[in-house]
Amino acid sequence: MVKVKYLGHACFQFDDGSYKVLVDPFLSGNPLAAASAEEVEADYIFVTHGHGDHIGDALAIAKRTKAVICTTVDLADAMMQDPDLEVVTGNIGGTIAFPFGSAKFFQAIHGSGAAGTVSCGFVFEIGGKKIYHAGDTALMMDMQLLEEEKLDAALLPIGDFYTMGPKDAIRAAQFIKAGTVIPMHYSTFPYITQDPQQFVDALKEKGLGGMVLQPGETAEI
Ligand code: NI
Ligand code: MN
């Protein structure tokens, strides 16, 4: 079992009872943030790419909590050159084992905020569950590969404008076939405003599981 807490935008905290894993902690300057960068807890921080709404407060939180940051080699080279940080780096297709389980770097179609770097998503194994955090991405056929991961949950962007919108995210969910889909990356800013319940209702019409987490809410997966 793993507790999945939505902190707003693309930020989630997974808690298996022993470790707290934070993903894309954009809290400062996030009008929907459900925690502050000064108080959020983390043992590991995963960063999908270098845009400010993803790398966010990662460095400051890592310094305060001594959390280990995990991201791509190139993004670490470009944006995390700091002797006070402990950074574990991998790259697309690779899986890294951690005390809480593992994380696999999965491709994403998106810019990444620093020259020579790529954007990614992650497939996490934590608390005996598998969770895909898509990061920022367009719909891609590669998501069909995720079906065989037998995911318990998929965290998918639905905001449109910079990422998949709801229609493409439904197609993504049809490819992925996760136990449940939790929408993210919407309504933080006016131009990515979406109705997450409408998205989840549309998933259910296709026979797929989904749930809306409001910022600050936790689901047990
Ligand atoms: Ni982005
Ligand atoms: Mn983004």
Side-chain angles (χ1 to χ4, degrees):
M1 191 274 290
V2 58
K3 288 182 181 166
V4 174
K5 185 173 188 182
Y6 186 40
L7 296 177
H9 202 59
C11 182
F12 287 83
Q13 185 191 58
F14 308 137
D15 184 348
D16 68 354
S18 300
Y19 298 98
K20 291 189 172 68
V21 175
L22 200 58
V23 187
D24 283 358
F26 165 52
L27 301 172
S28 302
N30 173 355
L32 299 183
S36 78
E38 290 71 35
E39 65 187 14
V40 71
E41 295 179 76
D43 298 295
Y44 295 90
I45 303 171
F46 286 77
V47 178
T48 61
H49 65 292
H51 288 152
D53 60 322
H54 295 264
I55 190 170
D57 300 295
L59 278 60
I61 296 167
K63 285 185 186 179
R64 177 177 58 79
T65 62
K66 308 291 176 211
V68 175
I69 295 183
C70 181
T71 193
T72 60
V73 176
D74 302 291
L75 190 67
D77 285 348
M79 299 181 78
M80 298 175 186
Q81 291 296 326
D82 187 324
D84 292 337
L85 295 174
E86 188 181 344
V87 185
V88 171
T89 59
N91 219 326
I92 309 297
T95 302
I96 298 180
F98 289 95
F100 63 80
S102 65
K104 182 176 185 180
F105 291 73
F106 195 74
Q107 51 268 46
I109 299 180
H110 188 70
S112 69
T117 72
V118 295
S119 215
C120 71
F122 294 102
V123 175
F124 294 96
E125 279 198 77
I126 179 167
K129 304 291 179 178
K130 274 188 158 183
I131 302 173
Y132 169 52
H133 186 298
D136 278 358
T137 185
L139 175 65
M140 54 183 168
M141 296 297 283
D142 293 13
M143 287 168 170
Q144 293 179 348
L145 296 169
L146 292 168
E147 182 181 355
E148 63 198 46
E149 298 278 357
K150 300 195 177 359
L151 296 163
D152 297 287
L155 317 178
L156 302 182
I158 65 162
D160 222 335
F161 208 95
Y162 294 120
T163 66
M164 297 189 286
K167 271 190 179 169
D168 281 357
I170 287 165
R171 291 201 68 194
Q174 288 177 297
F175 287 160
I176 296 165
K177 296 185 175 67
T180 192
V181 173
I182 300 172
M184 64 171 179
H185 208 276
Y186 62 89
S187 301
T188 319
F189 312 109
Y191 37 85
I192 59 170
T193 299
Q194 301 292 343
D195 181 340
Q197 192 56 52
Q198 201 173 33
F199 169 73
V200 165
D201 290 347
L203 286 175
K204 289 184 176 163
E205 275 173 32
K206 306 276 187 194
L208 296 164
M211 70 172 97
V212 175
L213 286 185
Q214 298 298 335
E217 283 188 334
T218 300
E220 286 192 2
I221 303 287

